Amino acid sequence: MNLFRLMGDVSHVLAVFILLAKIWRTRSAAGISGRSQILFTIVYLARYMDLFFSFISLYNTVMKLLFISASCATVYLIYFKFRATYDGNHDTFRIEFVLVPSLLLAFIFHYSMSFFELAWSFSIFLEAVAILPQLFMVTKTGEAENITSHYLFALGSYRALYILNWIYRYYTEGHFDPIAVCAGIVQTILYCDFFYLYVTKVLQGRKLQVLP
Amino acid sequence: VSAAAAHDEL
């Protein structure tokens, strides 16, 4: 554990809770992509199956359970409890376009040809692109509410901080995980455009609007 | 790369 990874994890947890709290307190899922949230739930379930047979630390176990339960709760709020407020008309990104390539990539790049390792690789590739339905929705509606922007900023920062953590770990312990690093870089690049808008608009008190 | 398959990150 180093400061970069800790900050990355804090940012990740913050993102998850910002989103849950926003939906709960406004009693609305407007502007939130249910499809992205389903993809994140698949990511956590596929990656954290190791909960049952490998113990890393209490910290890891608690975080894994937290991500699985929070993402399931988010999907439940969007598709069941506050379904009437969910903006399905604008949430039209075809998720098979990210599910199928992630699965194919997992069959090509993995650390061993076992079910759990393939699921792990699949989850890493899927996580990199799971936000696409949400970004697509923001582009389609042309704007995002400020809390949604804070959520996206915290979620994007998490993988960017992990990149610093990987650089640090490479120099201090010789640790190098090429699959996670490549996917993590792609994931962070996807947020770059949003980061720019966030800094130039949201942080200056304006609403995030995308040019047509 | 041996450390990679340990998956000690989230």
Side-chain angles (χ1 to χ4, degrees):
Chain A
M1 179 61 77
N2 56 66
L3 192 63
F4 299 119
R5 202 196 128 185
L6 185 66
M7 280 165 55
D9 287 347
V10 167
S11 178
H12 195 182
V13 171
L14 204 65
V16 165
F17 277 97
I18 287 173
L19 184 63
L20 258 182
K22 172 201 153 68
I23 298 173
W24 185 255
R25 295 178 71 168
T26 60
R27 326 284 301 163
S28 165
I32 302 300
S33 166
R35 295 187 181 206
S36 271
Q37 296 310 313
I38 288 175
L39 292 178
F40 280 118
T41 305
I42 296 172
V43 165
Y44 299 133
L45 289 175
R47 190 176 311 164
Y48 301 152
M49 279 190 288
D50 67 355
L51 265 174
F52 297 104
F53 57 85
S54 95
F55 180 81
I56 311 276
S57 66
L58 183 64
Y59 172 84
N60 257 56
T61 304
V62 170
M63 292 294 244
K64 285 171 177 173
L65 290 171
L66 193 146
F67 288 127
I68 291 173
S69 43
S71 66
C72 289
T74 307
V75 167
Y76 166 75
L77 292 184
I78 296 172
Y79 285 98
F80 296 93
K81 195 163 175 66
F82 302 127
R83 191 187 182 94
T85 63
Y86 165 55
D87 199 4
N89 289 337
H90 289 119
D91 193 13
T92 51
F93 189 92
R94 301 275 295 270
I95 57 172
E96 56 270 35
F97 290 165
V98 289
L99 282 170
V100 175
S102 302
L103 200 60
L104 288 175
L105 280 173
F107 275 99
I108 301 169
F109 302 102
H110 48 256
Y111 294 123
S112 73
M113 194 68 187
S114 72
F115 174 73
F116 292 107
E117 280 301 315
L118 287 174
W120 181 87
S121 276
F122 166 69
S123 83
I124 291 287
F125 293 127
L126 185 61
E127 183 190 337
V129 289
I131 201 61
L132 285 177
Q134 180 66 62
L135 295 176
F136 182 69
M137 197 173 179
V138 172
T139 311
K140 222 176 165 196
T141 55
E143 58 178 43
E145 279 185 71
N146 277 356
I147 304 174
T148 308
S149 302
H150 298 326
Y151 159 71
L152 283 169
F153 183 75
L155 195 63
S157 307
Y158 136 70
R159 225 43 176 172
L161 287 160
Y162 256 69
I163 293 175
L164 299 177
N165 151 63
W166 291 323
I167 295 169
Y168 179 86
R169 286 191 74 177
Y170 177 74
Y171 284 108
T172 55
E173 29 179 308
H175 173 95
F176 179 54
D177 184 335
I179 294 176
V181 170
C182 291
I185 290 171
V186 170
Q187 186 168 341
T188 305
I189 288 172
L190 290 182
Y191 286 86
C192 283
D193 190 34
F194 168 80
F195 283 153
Y196 173 76
L197 290 172
Y198 185 81
V199 171
T200 56
K201 299 213 166 166
V202 182
L203 288 186
Q204 275 149 41
R206 283 181 291 158
K207 196 171 184 173
L208 188 131
Q209 279 174 321
V210 185
L211 289 171
Chain B
V1 187
S2 59
H7 304 322
D8 56 349
E9 290 175 343
L10 294 163

